[in-house]
Structure formats: structure tokens, C-alpha cells
Amino acid sequence: QVQLVESGGGTVQAGTSLKLSCALSGLSFENLHMAWFRQAPGKGRDFVSSIARSGSTIYAESGKDRFTISRDNTKHTLYLQMNNLKPEETAVYYCAATTAWPPVGYEYWGQGTPVTVSS
């Protein structure tokens, strides 16, 4: 059974940092391409960042200079370091995994971890 479990969300003040984690089980982590998405209240799910199994990364423009995606294949864990958070980045953050590159969709999703950024 494939499981993606996010953690690290919470309530923080604007301008501070947060690091999200996503632990995967049931699949070979090192063979997967991983990503973070987020869904703000009342809005659709948006792409945040991705990291290929090669380690190459892509960022949405909004987080390009403030977010860092990384992976630890030995721990089967994906990370998202978010700095200088903004209130508009309040959302549920999801990790996702796919075997295809470039991804046409992500087959596996976590349940999400909520992040609230207060002004």
C-alpha cells in the first residue's frame, strides 16, 4: 500500500519560515519524481515545486527565491523549506509522486498538511 504522509504544517507569522516533510512508503522512493502542491481555501490546487529523481528542480514563480525543495532517498522523504512566508500562502500543502517524467499527472497523493500564515 502506497502512503504519502505530510508533516510540518502549522500556524506561523508572515515573514517566518516553515519546513514541510513528506514520508513515502510502499514504493521505491528513489525511482519517483516528487512534487509539492497547495490548495488555498476556496481555490484550486496549484503547483509549488517539483524534484525529479535526478535531483533537478522546478519552482512556481511565486516561490522561486524563497522555497527550496529537496529529497533524502535514504529516508524516503521529501522536503519543502519555505522562507519569508506570506499570508496569501495559507493553504493545505500536498506532496505527490509520479513515475513519469515529464509528469502528465501525479498518481500518488498525500492527505495534506495545513499551513496558516498570519499577518
Side-chain angles (χ1 to χ4, degrees):
Q1 182 182 356
V2 179
Q3 271 197 315
L4 288 145
V5 180
E6 301 96 335
S7 61
T11 300
V12 296
Q13 289 204 325
T16 61
S17 301
L18 207 58
K19 187 173 185 176
L20 306 181
S21 300
C22 172
L24 179 138
S25 60
L27 281 177
S28 179
F29 184 80
E30 58 268 25
N31 291 331
L32 295 170
H33 310 289
M34 306 293 296
W36 287 99
F37 289 78
R38 66 188 178 194
Q39 187 166 16
K43 297 189 177 180
R45 194 171 293 186
D46 293 327
F47 171 79
V48 175
S49 181
S50 66
I51 183 166
R53 61 186 185 189
S54 66
S56 62
T57 58
I58 299 172
Y59 294 93
E61 195 61 35
S62 59
K64 211 165 193 174
D65 298 323
R66 298 179 295 116
F67 293 1
T68 303
I69 191 171
S70 61
R71 62 191 296 160
D72 185 334
N73 288 345
T74 64
K75 295 182 179 179
H76 298 179
T77 302
L78 174 73
Y79 302 100
L80 183 68
Q81 175 69 46
M82 303 185 291
N83 298 328
N84 191 20
L85 281 159
K86 304 175 181 181
E88 55 266 35
E89 293 175 318
T90 293
V92 178
Y93 284 70
Y94 299 90
C95 67
T98 181
T99 56
W101 192 265
V104 293
Y106 286 83
E107 302 97 286
Y108 308 102
W109 292 84
Q111 293 300 305
T113 185
V115 173
T116 302
V117 185
S118 60
S119 56

